[in-house]
């Protein structure tokens, strides 16, 4: 039984989570409220992107509109992925610290091989823009900051998907730096700020060879 303290919308989300898919009629019976009230709440939840719906054919009668959680709706429910990942890394590190570094290096090599072709025949600033685009695709919210020189570029990352892990495993930040070097074919890269050190962003300055 759901606690009375939570809102009707939260109760609807919980019922759909538990049953996977539900109709207005089913929700009305579960919540003991009118179908009209259920529809009103469902409309808001669907507009907010928490639910999706489709028409399901019945053996007899008219098709029924069925509601299910969207990807955003699934995120409404607490997940422990980050903590579980951290616990596993710490346990592996306790057993054999070298494995962590090997895994980070191996992942970096796979990413370099995956994205290397996107830099072919691009000029310096084109490569910088491509790298920022790749980082944004991976969740880093990267942007290129203009400079007065055509041979100096800056990339600013406002987010780090690995922030909590990077605080305990600085190898992740070091290998991100190497990721930049590998794709841009240069050692002239300076990291002047870092989210893992408490700065407001990760800020790279890149100079053309």
């Amino acid at each position: 039984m759901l606690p009375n303290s939570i809102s009707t919308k939260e109760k609807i989300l919980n019922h759909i989570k538990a049953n996977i898919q539900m109709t207005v009629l089913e929700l009305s019976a579960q919540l003991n409220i009118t179908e009209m009230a259920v529809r009103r709440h469902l409309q808001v939840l669907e507009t907010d992107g928490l639910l999706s719906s489709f028409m399901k054919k019945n053996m007899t009668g008219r098709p029924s509109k069925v509601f299910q959680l969207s990807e955003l709706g699934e995120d409404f429910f607490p997940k422990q992925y980050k903590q579980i990942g951290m616990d596993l890394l710490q346990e592996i590190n306790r057993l054999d610290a070298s494995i962590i570094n090997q895994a980070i290096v191996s992942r970096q090599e796979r990413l370099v091989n995956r994205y290397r072709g996107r830099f072919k025949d691009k000029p310096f600033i084109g490569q910088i823009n491509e790298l920022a685009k790749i980082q944004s695709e991976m969740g880093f919210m990267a942007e290129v900051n203009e400079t007065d020189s055509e041979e100096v570029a800056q990339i600013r990352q406002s987010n780090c998907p690995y922030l909590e892990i990077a605080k305990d495993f600085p190898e992740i930040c070091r290998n991100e730096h190497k990721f930049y070097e590998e794709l841009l074919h240069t050692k002239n890269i300076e990291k002047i700020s870092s989210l893992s050190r408490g700065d407001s962003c990760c800020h790279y300055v890149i100079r053309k060879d």
Side-chain angles (χ1 to χ4, degrees):
M1 181 178 293
L2 297 173
N4 292 326
S5 58
I6 69 173
S7 69
T8 302
K9 291 176 185 176
E10 289 175 307
K11 289 179 182 179
I12 288 173
L13 290 173
N14 277 282
H15 277 297
I16 294 177
K17 174 68 172 175
N19 293 280
I20 303 177
Q21 297 175 348
M22 295 189 75
T23 65
V24 171
L25 187 61
E26 290 168 340
L27 284 164
S28 176
Q30 288 284 334
L31 297 169
N32 196 28
I33 61 176
T34 66
E35 292 180 34
M36 184 179 295
V38 170
R39 286 192 179 91
R40 186 169 61 250
H41 289 299
L42 288 171
Q43 183 178 7
V44 173
L45 289 167
E46 194 166 16
T47 299
D48 289 344
L50 297 172
L51 296 178
S52 62
S53 63
F54 63 95
M55 300 304 295
K56 182 179 180 180
K57 292 183 178 179
N58 297 317
M59 295 296 293
T60 59
R62 299 172 58 187
S64 299
K65 192 172 187 179
V66 180
F67 292 85
Q68 60 189 13
L69 294 176
S70 65
E71 185 175 344
L72 184 61
E74 289 287 354
D75 290 340
F76 174 83
F77 295 89
K79 304 288 193 298
Q80 295 297 321
Y81 301 147
K82 183 186 294 184
Q83 188 58 50
I84 291 171
M86 178 66 77
D87 290 346
L88 288 172
L89 284 172
Q90 290 174 340
E91 185 62 21
I92 293 170
N93 191 55
R94 185 183 67 80
L95 295 171
D96 187 346
S98 67
I99 294 177
I100 298 292
N101 191 57
Q102 291 172 19
I104 292 172
V105 170
S106 178
R107 178 179 181 275
Q108 174 212 319
E109 290 173 351
R110 288 201 312 274
L111 289 175
V112 168
N113 289 332
R114 180 189 302 171
Y115 294 118
R116 194 189 303 276
R118 290 171 58 170
F119 292 79
K120 187 177 180 181
D121 300 326
K122 281 187 168 65
F124 174 68
I125 193 60
Q127 291 188 0
I128 300 298
N129 286 324
E130 191 64 39
L131 180 55
K133 183 178 179 181
I134 288 169
Q135 290 295 83
S136 289
E137 289 170 1
M138 292 195 290
F140 288 91
M141 295 177 64
E143 61 181 4
V144 177
N145 291 350
E146 294 183 3
T147 69
D148 294 332
S149 172
E150 294 182 356
E151 297 188 350
V152 180
Q154 299 181 43
I155 293 181
R156 182 179 182 274
Q157 296 175 175
S158 301
N159 184 58
C160 177
Y162 322 121
L163 182 57
E164 296 304 317
I165 298 174
K167 289 177 180 177
D168 287 347
F169 297 94
E171 300 94 327
I172 290 176
C173 290
R174 288 197 292 270
N175 276 275
E176 181 186 67
H177 197 123
K178 292 179 181 177
F179 178 66
Y180 271 50
E181 291 178 345
E182 289 285 333
L183 288 177
L184 297 175
H185 297 289
T186 180
K187 295 288 186 180
N188 292 330
I189 301 175
E190 180 185 5
K191 191 174 186 180
I192 60 176
S193 69
S194 174
L195 284 163
S196 64
R197 296 197 301 261
D199 298 319
S200 60
C201 67
C202 291
H203 193 164
Y204 288 89
V205 177
I206 305 146
R207 293 175 173 82
K208 185 178 179 180
D209 283 337

